[in-house]
Amino acid sequence: MEETERILFLRRELHRHNHNYYVLNAPEISDREFDAMLAELAELEARHPEMADPNSPTQRVGSDINHEFTQRAHVYPMLSLGNTYNRDDVRAFYERVADGLGGEPFDVCCELKFDGLGISLVYEDGRLLYAVTRGDGVRGDDVTENVKTIRSIPLSLVPGSGYPRRFEIRGEILMPWVSFEQLNVDRAAREEPLFANPRNAASGTLKSKNSAVVAARRLDAYLYYLLGDATPTDSHYDNMRLAASWGFKVSDAMQRAHSLDEIYAFIDHWDVERKMLPVATDGIVLKVDSLRQQERLGYTAKSPRWAIAYKFQAERACTRLRSVTFQVGRTGAVTPVANMDPVQLAGTVVRRASLHNEDIIRQLDLHLGDRVYVEKAGEIIPQIVGVDVDARREEPVGEPVRFIDTCPECGARLVRYEGEAAHYCPNDAACPPQLKGRIEHFISRDAMNIDSLGPETVDAYFSAGLIHDAADLYQIKTSDIAGEDGTRERSAAKIVEGIRRSLDVPFDRVLYALGIRFVGKVVARQLARHFKRLDALRAASLDELLQVDGVGAVIAQSVRSFFANPANADLVARLAAAGVQMQLPEEEQLSDSLAGKSIVISGTFARHSREEYKALIEKHGGRNVGSISGKTSFVLAGENMGPSKMEKAAKLGVPLVSETEFLAMIGE
Ligand code: IVH
C-alpha cells in the first residue's frame, strides 16, 4: 500500500475505533493497538504535509496556541425551554399540546435533561465544519478547535450511513463525574477555587483558550436535536436513532411515550436511575415527536410550545448548625467551615459544609444553633443554602456567626484584598499551616516528588523544630531522624536518600514546587522554557513576563511579588546552594541568526510541526512569544492564519514571514 493510501486507511480505521470506544463503549482493539495506529498515522502525516487534514484523528490532542474566539451567528436561534417542577405542570403541558393539535393523536419523546452546556455542531459532507456555543441564542463563540478534542464528537461520520449533505445537530457538552472529581482534587491541591459542579467545570474548560487543556480534561457530549431542511423522517425519535447510526452519541434513555402515564413512569424511573449515570442530569425534557406537529404548535418568543423541561428536586436536608471553624491553607486563605448535627443527604452522612467566605455568611444571616438547609452542589460538596428563620421563634438561637479578624493559627490580623471575597492571613513568614503547607506542596508528587516523606512526617519534623522551610530538608542527616538509639536507621536513610534524589528534578518542576501563587504545573513549564534560568526569571520585568504564553497580569504580578520578598530570595538561594536545579539543561545552539527577535507563530505548517518551529526559533537564538504586540519582530505565518491575528499584525506593522522564507533565514 502506498503511504498516502495508508494514511487514508488509518484515518478511516481510527475514526471507526474511536466511535466504537467513545460512543458505543464497545472497543474492538486494545488501547495499545489504537495508540500504535495513531502514532503511525502521525508519522506518515509528518512525511506527507500535502495530505494535511484538520479533521484527522491526530488533531484531537489540542494545541497550546491561544485561540481568540470569533463569534458566529446561529442559522436557527438557540432557544431555551420552559421549566416545570411538578406533575400538574406536566399535565398542563400535555393538555396544551392536545388542544393545540385539535385532538389529533400525538407521541411525546421523553429524554434526560443533561446538565452541561449547549453546543451546536454543523456538518458538511460527513465532516465537522464548526462548533458554536449557545452564546446569547442568536450568536455564540466558535469553539471548533476545543470541541475537536472531545472524543465522543465525530470529526468524520460513518461512511455510507446516509447522513444529509449538510445539517446541524445540537447537544450538551458535559464533564463526567470522574473527571470533575479528579479536577477538583487537583485544584484543591493547588489551592485553586473548586468548581461547584460539572456544568461550571465543563463551561470553564470549553472556553479555555488552550485546547490542550480541553483535551486533558476529558469532556463528553450527548446529542439530542437535529435541525436542517434535510431531516430524514418526521419523527424526532427516529431521526436521533439515525443520527446515532451516523456516529453520534445519543442517549439510550430516550423513549417515545403514548400517554401521560407513560411520561410519569419515565420521570419516576429516571429520578432514581439518573444517580447511576456517569454524567450530571437535572431533569427530563419532553418533546412532541412529530416534526410536522412541532411546526403546527410553533414557538413563543423564548421557547418552543412543543417542548418542556421537568426539573428534578435537588436533594436537601435540614439540620442544626453547631459551630463555625476557620481553616488556614497554604496560601493563607481562610475558609469558614460549618459544623452541623450529622444528617443523611443523597446517600452520605453530612457533618460539615463549606461556607466559602464572609459574604455568604452575611447573606444567610447565619446564627449559631440555626436550623439550616443543606444541599449538595452538583451533588458533591455540601452547602448551606438557607436558614429556617421561623424555627428561631420556637427554639431561640445563639449569636450571629461573625467572620474572624485574626488568624486562628498565629493571631495575625487578617486582610481582604480588593475584589476578592476571601480573607487571608498575611503572616506567610511564620504562620504554621502556611509554612507546613508550603513544605507539603514542595514534596508532592508533581513537584519534587519526595515520596519518602508525607504530611505526617513533615508535621512531626516541623513541630520538633527540625525544619522551617523546604530548604531545611536538604540539611537533614540520618542521625537527626534515626531516633536516640538509632533504631530507625534504615527508614531514616531511605528518607535522606529520597530527599537527595530530588536534586535531579528538572527546573520546571522546581519552579512549580516553590508554590508561587497562581503558578501551576503548566505555567511553571512555560516560564521555565521561556526564561531557562531562575536568575532570568527573577530579573524579568512585568512586560517580559506577559510575553510568556498563558501568563496574564495576575500571574505576572504574583511572580514579581514572590521574588520581591527577601524571605523567598533567601529560600531560593539556600535551595540552589543545596544543589536543587535552577536552570534547564543547556540546549545545543545552532546559530544566532534570530538573536534578539521576538517571533509569533500562527497557522498550520507543512514542513515542521508548531512545536518543532518553537524549538528551531530558540536554537537559532530567537524567542517565541504568544501574542502579537508592537515589540514582535515578525509573525511566522503558516496556512489558515486567523483573521484577527492578521488584522492585528497589519495594524501594528508587524511583518509576516512565510514558512519557506523562515527556513531560508535559518539556513535550512
Ligand atoms: S432540546 C428547542 N433536549 O437544556 C429545544 N435540551 O433550557 C432545545 N438540554 O439549552 C433544546 N438536555 O442546553 C434539549 N435532551 C435535551 C436536553 C436539553 C439538556 C439543555 C439545552 C437547552 C436547555 C434548555
Side-chain angles (χ1 to χ4, degrees):
M1 199 185 297
E2 286 240 351
E3 282 190 343
T4 50
E5 251 177 77
R6 178 83 183 151
I7 290 180
L8 296 176
F9 169 78
L10 286 170
R11 282 182 187 158
R12 256 193 329 269
E13 279 297 284
L14 283 162
H15 280 310
R16 191 169 69 79
H17 289 306
N18 192 72
H19 178 237
N20 286 341
Y21 187 93
Y22 289 100
V23 179
L24 304 179
N25 285 324
E28 281 173 15
I29 58 173
S30 70
D31 291 2
R32 260 186 63 184
E33 287 167 295
F34 185 92
D35 291 344
M37 282 167 79
L38 194 64
E40 184 191 347
L41 176 60
E43 201 184 309
L44 289 174
E45 287 181 341
R47 274 215 290 279
H48 290 277
E50 77 285 0
M51 302 269 298
D53 175 1
N55 283 28
S56 164
T58 53
Q59 301 304 302
R60 295 232 193 231
V61 288
S63 89
D64 58 3
I65 36 169
N66 272 0
H67 305 289
E68 281 144 32
F69 300 121
T70 45
Q71 299 256 305
R72 198 183 271 280
H74 294 295
V75 180
Y76 309 89
M78 272 178 100
L79 302 176
S80 60
L81 293 172
N83 282 327
T84 62
Y85 297 89
N86 57 52
R87 280 164 188 260
D88 290 344
D89 293 345
V90 172
R91 175 184 296 277
F93 165 74
Y94 197 82
E95 283 166 0
R96 270 200 312 279
V97 168
D99 267 1
L101 294 176
E104 194 176 293
F106 64 97
D107 284 343
V108 171
C109 184
C110 308
E111 305 174 12
L112 291 171
K113 185 168 188 309
F114 294 103
D115 194 13
L117 80 163
I119 190 80
S120 151
L121 309 173
V122 172
Y123 284 78
E124 202 172 82
D125 294 323
R127 292 157 58 85
L128 173 66
L129 210 54
Y130 51 78
V132 186
T133 62
R134 186 178 131 89
D136 61 5
V138 176
R139 45 200 305 126
D141 285 329
D142 184 326
V143 289
T144 313
E145 290 311 310
N146 285 348
V147 161
K148 276 188 190 168
T149 69
I150 303 173
R151 312 273 163 148
S152 45
I153 293 186
L155 300 181
S156 189
L157 301 179
V158 175
S161 57
Y163 47 78
R165 200 186 82 73
R166 188 185 167 103
F167 64 92
E168 175 175 351
I169 190 162
R170 290 184 186 166
E172 204 82 354
I173 293 189
L174 301 150
M175 183 176 286
W177 287 114
V178 279
S179 312
F180 168 68
E181 282 158 30
Q182 187 55 50
L183 178 63
N184 266 351
V185 167
D186 294 347
R187 289 176 77 88
R190 294 193 299 268
E191 295 203 8
E192 289 172 2
L194 302 189
F195 285 116
N197 52 50
R199 174 171 21 83
N200 293 359
S203 159
T205 302
L206 198 70
K207 305 262 167 77
S208 167
K209 297 205 167 147
N210 183 330
S211 55
V213 168
V214 186
R217 292 212 188 145
R218 300 277 158 194
L219 298 174
D220 200 353
Y222 281 96
L223 286 306
Y224 47 61
Y225 189 23
L226 186 67
L227 297 91
D229 307 327
T231 36
T233 79
D234 180 59
S235 155
H236 163 71
Y237 178 89
D238 290 341
N239 288 338
M240 290 320 297
R241 297 267 52 106
L242 284 171
S245 75
W246 306 337
F248 292 103
K249 190 160 181 166
V250 176
S251 167
D252 286 331
M254 251 178 130
Q255 199 175 310
R256 235 182 320 222
H258 311 289
S259 69
L260 196 53
D261 281 340
E262 282 181 31
I263 294 175
Y264 289 155
F266 185 89
I267 292 178
D268 290 342
H269 176 76
W270 284 106
D271 199 359
V272 179
E273 241 5 76
R274 72 191 182 101
K275 287 163 198 160
M276 262 55 105
L277 295 172
V279 294
T281 53
D282 60 343
I284 298 288
V285 178
L286 303 173
K287 300 173 183 168
V288 171
D289 191 52
S290 153
L291 305 192
R292 185 185 51 78
Q293 290 180 335
Q294 287 183 3
E295 208 167 309
R296 203 171 148 195
L297 291 161
Y299 297 81
T300 70
K302 277 195 301 198
S303 51
R305 288 203 181 87
W306 47 264
I308 201 154
Y310 166 87
K311 299 277 266 245
F312 295 125
Q313 282 289 342
E315 282 194 61
R316 172 184 273 218
C318 188
T319 182
R320 193 173 297 283
L321 176 70
R322 289 297 172 194
S323 66
V324 174
T325 45
F326 294 85
Q327 288 175 350
V328 185
R330 150 168 82 88
T331 59
V334 179
T335 315
V337 177
N339 303 294
M340 306 165 298
D341 285 345
V343 63
Q344 189 76 27
L345 177 62
T348 55
V349 177
V350 173
R351 292 187 174 80
R352 288 149 61 83
S354 169
L355 285 167
H356 301 285
N357 57 51
E358 182 178 26
D359 297 344
I360 293 197
I361 295 177
R362 280 243 179 84
Q363 276 162 26
L364 290 167
D365 181 28
L366 211 53
H367 288 58
L368 291 176
D370 260 337
R371 288 198 67 82
V372 290
Y373 297 109
V374 190
E375 273 183 16
K376 285 195 181 174
E379 291 168 56
I380 288 286
I381 308 158
Q383 246 173 345
I384 294 186
V385 294
V387 172
D388 182 354
V389 184
D390 296 336
R392 285 181 190 161
R393 263 182 280 136
E394 285 147 39
E395 291 170 77
V397 291
E399 292 285 296
V401 175
R402 290 243 327 268
F403 209 90
I404 46 175
D405 301 317
T406 56
C407 176
E409 302 279 347
C410 73
R413 181 155 283 279
L414 300 183
V415 292
R416 186 170 170 177
Y417 302 110
E418 197 169 314
E420 284 202 46
H423 282 72
Y424 288 89
C425 166
N427 183 16
D428 56 356
C431 180
Q434 295 189 58
L435 295 176
K436 276 190 279 189
R438 289 206 293 270
I439 303 174
E440 278 165 22
H441 170 73
F442 186 83
I443 65 169
S444 65
R445 198 186 57 199
D446 292 342
M448 303 303 273
N449 192 22
I450 307 180
D451 57 4
S452 54
L453 289 174
E456 302 79 25
T457 1
V458 167
D459 197 54
Y461 294 174
F462 186 88
S463 310
L466 193 59
I467 54 172
H468 300 91
D469 65 20
D472 290 339
L473 292 171
Y474 296 95
Q475 304 308 321
I476 298 178
K477 293 188 289 299
T478 319
S479 56
D480 295 333
I481 53 176
E484 306 252 291
D485 48 0
T487 42
R488 291 199 300 272
E489 184 83 36
R490 275 183 53 186
S491 67
K494 214 177 105 205
I495 289 173
V496 172
E497 170 58 16
I499 297 172
R500 197 196 56 75
R501 262 206 313 265
S502 75
L503 295 177
D504 296 332
V505 167
F507 173 53
D508 56 323
R509 277 172 46 200
V510 173
L511 200 52
Y512 170 64
L514 290 177
I516 304 172
R517 230 177 139 213
F518 308 120
V519 176
K521 275 178 286 188
V522 177
V523 171
R525 204 173 309 135
Q526 302 279 41
L527 288 170
R529 273 202 208 140
H530 190 96
F531 292 103
K532 309 229 164 24
R533 316 169 52 88
L534 186 102
D535 297 342
L537 173 64
R538 181 167 39 203
S541 67
L542 266 189
D543 267 355
E544 283 167 325
L545 286 163
L546 287 170
Q547 287 291 311
V548 182
D549 243 0
V551 173
V554 174
I555 298 179
Q557 191 51 56
S558 168
V559 171
R560 294 277 295 168
S561 351
F562 180 87
F563 288 112
N565 180 339
N568 292 330
D570 172 66
L571 172 76
V572 170
R574 284 162 51 236
L575 287 171
V580 170
Q581 303 289 322
M582 291 297 172
Q583 62 186 71
L584 290 182
E586 294 285 331
E587 273 189 41
E588 87 188 284
Q589 205 60 28
L590 297 176
S591 83
D592 56 5
S593 47
L594 301 175
K597 298 224 178 339
S598 296
I599 303 160
V600 170
I601 306 180
S602 181
T604 53
F605 299 93
R607 296 275 302 275
H608 293 281
S609 72
R610 179 180 281 276
E611 283 308 312
E612 286 167 349
Y613 276 116
K614 271 190 191 167
L616 276 174
I617 288 174
E618 285 174 12
K619 284 188 182 158
H620 289 275
R623 193 175 256 200
N624 171 231
V625 293
S627 57
I628 301 172
S629 74
K631 290 195 199 142
T632 309
S633 314
F634 63 84
V635 179
L636 167 53
E639 294 288 311
N640 306 321
M641 179 174 166
S644 62
K645 279 222 170 106
M646 199 92 93
E647 206 173 289
K648 194 160 177 197
K651 208 157 83 195
L652 296 170
V654 174
L656 306 187
V657 168
S658 76
E659 185 169 20
T660 335
E661 288 168 327
F662 177 80
L663 290 170
M665 279 167 102
I666 58 169
E668 228 194 68

